[in-house]
Amino acid sequence: MTNYRWGGYLLVALGLINLRYQTGQSHVLAHSLIIIVPGALLLAATWTKPLASTLAKKSVKISAIIIGLALVAYSLLN
């Protein structure tokens, strides 16, 4: 669960940094929320027992890595 939490914190932090440094751009809140919301949902999932057991599956791990990397790339390119 620790790696999931680190990933969730990373996405929330990147979203907040994006929000701060893109101030003045159009649709900055929407772009930042695309990064923040999945991070917050991932963090919440690590603290609920039914979802935490689901996160332990290999297919979910691979999906989370792919989605996480895509969101990090989105934050860097946005």
Side-chain angles (χ1 to χ4, degrees):
M1 287 303 113
T2 302
N3 290 335
Y4 283 118
R5 287 187 182 145
W6 279 98
Y9 288 130
L10 171 72
L11 292 175
V12 170
L14 285 175
L16 292 174
I17 289 169
N18 186 39
L19 182 64
R20 171 63 182 103
Y21 286 104
Q22 297 292 330
T23 302
Q25 300 289 329
S26 62
H27 307 293
V28 67
L29 183 60
H31 293 293
S32 295
L33 286 177
I34 290 172
I35 304 165
I36 294 171
V37 170
L41 291 175
L42 183 61
L43 282 173
T46 62
W47 286 309
T48 55
K49 287 198 181 264
L51 292 176
S53 63
T54 303
L55 291 175
K57 296 179 183 175
K58 188 172 183 172
S59 61
V60 175
K61 287 180 184 180
I62 292 169
S63 299
I65 289 171
I66 291 170
I67 292 169
L69 288 175
L71 287 170
V72 169
Y74 177 76
S75 72
L76 294 174
L77 296 175
N78 183 6

